[in-house]
Amino acid sequence: MDRNIPDFIEGYGEVKRTGNLFDRALLKETAGRNVRMYEPGHNKMRESIAEVLREIDLKDGATVSFHHHLRNGDFVLNLVMSEIEKMGLKDITVAASSIFPCHEILVRLIDNGTVTGIKTAYMSGPVACAVSEGRLKNPAVLMTHGGRARSIMEGETHIDAAFIAAPGCDRLGNINGVTGKAACGALGYAIADAEYADKVVAITDDIVDYPLYPQEIKQNVVDYVVKVDSIGDPKGIVSGTTQVTKDPVGLKIASDTMKVLAASGLLKEGFSFQTGAGGISLAVAKELETWMKKNEIKGSFVSGGITGYIVNMMEEGLFKALYDVQCFDLEAVRSYRENRNHLPMSADLYGNPHNSGCVTNDLDIVILGATEVDLNFNVNVTTGSDGRIMGGSGGHADTAAGAKLTVIVSKLFSARTPLIKDHVTTLTTPGKTVDVIVTERGTAVNPLRQDLIEQFKKKNLPFMTIEELKEVSDRFTGTPNPVKTDDKIVAISQYRDGSVSDVIRKVIK
C-alpha cells in the first residue's frame, strides 16, 4: 500500500523501503532506551545463562547490571559472573545496585582481570575489602540510590545487559517479587535497568503460567528468560536487626529523638516519615507510634526500604500508605503482596533529583545513622574508622537532601571510636542537608537551622553545639590518629546529581 511516505524524513534520514515490517529501519533510540522488535511468536526462553551470553554477544569492556533485592541471599550475580569468567571476557564493569558478602566471587574476578570496574550504591564484605586494598583496576564509583537511577536514565551509565533476579516470572518475561520460593517483595532498584539496558535477561526459579500477575516489570522490556535451580535465599534479605533495640543507650537516644521530633512542629496530620532498619531507628519508630496514638495524629506515607514494624504501623491505621523500593524483612514482603496501600516505588521515583515527583523531596522527617560526623555536620556512612569501605550512601544522601528535617541518631562513641571528628574520613552526605545529631550524651543542631534552634528554645529542649558535643566525646576517647593513605584513588563517592563528593584512597596498612 502506497502511504505517500517521502524518501527523506527530517530526524530519520533516508527511508529504507524493504516491505517487511520487522526489517524496517525507521527505529530511533530515545533517552538511551533501545527499541525492541521481534517476530510474532518469538520465543524468549533459553536453556541456560551461557546460551543467553553467547546470543547477546557480550564483548570485552561491557557493563552488566544486577539488583540487590535478595540482598545477602542473592545467587544471580554469582551465576552470571561465573559464566562470564568461563567465556574469557575481560574488563567487565559490574553495575550492581548493591554488593554484599555473598558476592565474594567478584574478588577472584577482580584479581584475574575479568572485572575492572564497579558502579554501585553500597558495598560490604570481601569485595569492599578488595576495592579498599586497590586491587580493582579502575576506581569504583559509589552512587546514591537515586543517583544510580539518574545515571542510567541520563545515559551516564550505559548497561549492555541487565540480569534481573525474578522471583516470579512467565515465559514472556513479566516479573514480580511476590510469588515464588524466593519472594523478596518490591523490585524498585531493577526498574531503571530493565527500561534502559540494551538487553534484559530475567533469571528465575519459578516459571508460572502466562500471564503472571501482579506484574512489576513487564514483558515489553525483557528479551530473554532463563530458568535456574535457585535465584537465592529469601532469608538473606533481612537487613539490620529489624528489631527494636533493648540497649538502654539506644533507647535513650530514641527517647531524646522523639523529643526533637515533637518540638520540630512537623508532627501534624498527614506528615511523612522514613527511618532505617537498625535497632535505634526502629526504637524511634516505636516512640513515634506511641506519640501518634496518644495525640491522635495520623501520617500520610512512610517511604524507603520497609520493615515489618513499619507495616504494623500502617495496618494499625497510623499511616495511609507505604512507598516501598525494597523490603527489609519477610513481613514486609507479606504486606507488599497483600496490601493495596503498600505501593511499589522505583529508584527513580524514590530518589532521582531530576524528575518532577521525587518522593524523598516530599519527606517531612527522615531518621538516619552515621559512622562519622564532622564539625560541619558532614556525614560518613561509606568508610569505617580505618578508612576501608564498609557501605555507601544508598538512600542516605537522597533522603537527607529532600526531607524537611534530617536527624542523625548514633552513639557518641563505640569501642573508644568517636562519632564526632574534625573532618570525616569520607564525605557521603553534605552537612548542609543534615539538621540534628542525637546521641546519648547530647543533641547538636546545625547552625544553618536557626529556625529549629529558636523552636527548641521555645520548647525548652536542651541542645548544644557540635563543638561542645565533640569535647564531651574527646574526654572519653581522646583524639584518634588520622587514617594513613597513599595517592592511589580506589573509589569515587558521587552525590545524587553525579558530582564528586569525595575520593577514597588506598589505606596504608
Side-chain angles (χ1 to χ4, degrees):
M1 182 176 67
D2 184 5
R3 300 175 61 182
N4 194 29
I5 300 174
D7 291 331
F8 185 89
I9 299 177
E10 190 69 31
Y12 288 89
E14 185 178 351
V15 177
K16 294 183 179 179
R17 301 175 181 275
T18 64
N20 184 331
L21 175 64
F22 295 96
D23 290 335
R24 294 180 72 95
L26 293 177
L27 303 179
K28 187 177 182 181
E29 292 184 14
T30 59
R33 184 184 313 198
N34 283 346
V35 177
R36 293 161 166 81
M37 294 190 72
Y38 296 104
E39 296 284 354
H42 170 74
N43 180 19
K44 296 183 179 182
M45 295 293 300
R46 296 295 184 269
E47 290 296 322
S48 67
I49 294 170
E51 181 183 356
V52 168
L53 290 172
R54 289 193 296 270
E55 192 163 333
I56 64 178
D57 195 25
L58 213 60
K59 304 288 188 184
D60 289 351
T63 296
V64 294
S65 78
F66 305 88
H67 69 92
H68 73 279
H69 296 92
L70 283 162
R71 300 178 68 81
N72 203 35
D74 172 58
F75 295 169
V76 169
L77 183 149
N78 294 351
L79 290 171
V80 173
M81 293 309 300
S82 178
E83 293 297 331
I84 285 176
E85 181 186 28
K86 291 176 184 177
M87 292 174 64
L89 294 177
K90 299 295 182 181
D91 294 324
I92 300 298
T93 294
V94 174
S97 53
S98 289
I99 293 172
F100 289 89
C102 65
H103 300 132
E104 185 174 4
I105 184 178
L106 290 179
V107 176
R108 183 179 78 241
L109 274 56
I110 288 169
D111 288 342
N112 67 25
T114 302
V115 173
T116 56
I118 291 176
K119 292 185 175 183
T120 188
Y122 176 96
M123 70 166 75
S124 64
V127 180
C129 288
V131 173
S132 299
E133 292 167 1
R135 292 157 68 177
L136 185 69
K137 180 179 178 181
N138 301 313
V141 179
L142 299 174
M143 305 171 165
T144 73
H145 283 320
R148 179 178 184 273
R150 178 205 54 76
S151 176
I152 292 170
M153 298 171 70
E154 294 178 0
E156 289 177 11
T157 298
H158 177 89
I159 299 172
D160 294 285
F163 298 89
I164 298 177
C169 188
D170 63 30
R171 60 180 173 80
L172 287 185
N174 293 300
I175 300 169
N176 71 36
V178 298
T179 61
K181 59 187 179 182
C184 61
L187 300 175
Y189 295 124
I191 303 300
D193 305 54
E195 292 185 347
Y196 288 87
D198 287 354
K199 296 295 180 182
V200 176
V201 184
I203 300 180
T204 186
D205 51 18
D206 186 36
I207 295 286
V208 303
D209 291 339
Y210 180 85
L212 168 80
Y213 55 87
Q215 299 171 1
E216 190 162 357
I217 295 173
K218 299 183 184 298
Q219 64 191 50
N220 58 309
V221 298
V222 176
D223 298 283
Y224 301 98
V225 178
V226 179
K227 187 175 186 300
V228 297
D229 292 336
S230 178
I231 63 169
D233 179 1
K235 294 178 182 178
I237 75 170
V238 175
S239 173
T241 64
T242 70
Q243 299 291 326
V244 175
T245 183
K246 296 180 181 179
D247 175 20
V249 174
L251 292 174
K252 183 180 189 308
I253 294 171
S255 176
D256 289 347
T257 301
M258 187 62 239
K259 294 173 184 176
V260 167
L261 303 188
S264 71
L266 291 171
L267 293 182
K268 302 174 182 179
E269 191 72 18
F271 77 95
S272 56
F273 179 69
Q274 180 168 329
T275 191
I280 297 177
S281 296
L282 291 179
V284 174
K286 182 174 177 60
E287 292 277 351
L288 180 62
E289 176 186 12
T290 301
W291 188 96
M292 291 173 72
K293 289 178 177 178
K294 179 180 178 180
N295 291 275
E296 298 183 345
I297 294 292
K298 295 183 178 180
S300 56
F301 70 88
V302 181
S303 66
I306 298 299
T307 63
Y309 197 90
I310 297 299
V311 166
N312 291 338
M313 293 179 72
M314 186 214 29
E315 292 183 339
E316 289 179 355
L318 294 178
F319 287 96
K320 181 179 179 180
L322 306 180
Y323 266 122
D324 196 348
V325 70
Q326 68 172 325
C327 295
F328 277 153
D329 58 31
L330 299 182
E331 180 62 13
V333 175
R334 188 275 308 166
S335 171
Y336 185 69
R337 181 187 300 114
E338 298 176 0
N339 288 318
R340 291 180 61 190
N341 52 342
H342 192 150
L343 305 171
M345 175 173 64
S346 68
D348 170 40
L349 176 60
Y350 176 43
N352 179 0
H354 294 173
N355 69 41
S356 62
C358 178
V359 169
T360 59
N361 289 353
D362 198 39
L363 277 172
D364 289 311
I365 297 165
V366 64
I367 308 297
L368 298 169
T371 304
E372 297 173 340
V373 180
D374 69 20
L375 297 178
N376 292 314
F377 284 78
N378 297 313
V379 177
N380 172 24
V381 292
T382 302
T383 54
S385 58
D386 60 357
R388 291 174 174 267
I389 299 168
M390 42 70 70
S393 175
H396 200 286
D398 294 320
T399 53
K404 294 183 179 69
L405 177 64
T406 299
V407 182
I408 303 296
V409 295
S410 178
K411 294 180 180 180
L412 187 57
F413 50 85
S414 180
R416 300 192 66 81
T417 300
L419 172 70
I420 313 295
K421 295 189 172 182
D422 290 331
H423 303 284
V424 289
T425 305
T426 303
L427 197 162
T428 309
T429 298
K432 65 181 180 181
T433 66
V434 175
D435 303 307
V436 182
I437 312 293
V438 182
T439 75
E440 75 280 13
R441 295 180 182 272
T443 296
V445 183
N446 193 326
L448 294 176
R449 292 298 308 268
Q450 289 297 314
D451 58 327
L452 277 179
I453 290 173
E454 292 303 316
Q455 186 80 356
F456 291 173
K457 287 179 178 177
K458 291 178 182 177
K459 299 291 183 178
N460 293 318
L461 185 71
F463 62 91
M464 60 181 67
T465 68
I466 197 163
E467 290 82 4
E468 291 170 335
L469 195 55
K470 183 177 183 297
E471 288 176 7
V472 173
S473 174
D474 287 349
R475 288 200 296 268
F476 289 91
T477 67
T479 302
N481 294 324
V483 175
K484 295 182 179 180
T485 62
D486 64 20
D487 292 335
K488 181 178 175 63
I489 295 174
V490 300
I492 297 168
S493 179
Q494 277 189 354
Y495 193 51
R496 63 199 306 234
D497 61 2
S499 60
V500 176
S501 56
D502 210 340
V503 295
I504 302 166
R505 299 181 187 277
K506 181 181 176 182
V507 176
I508 299 174
K509 297 181 180 179

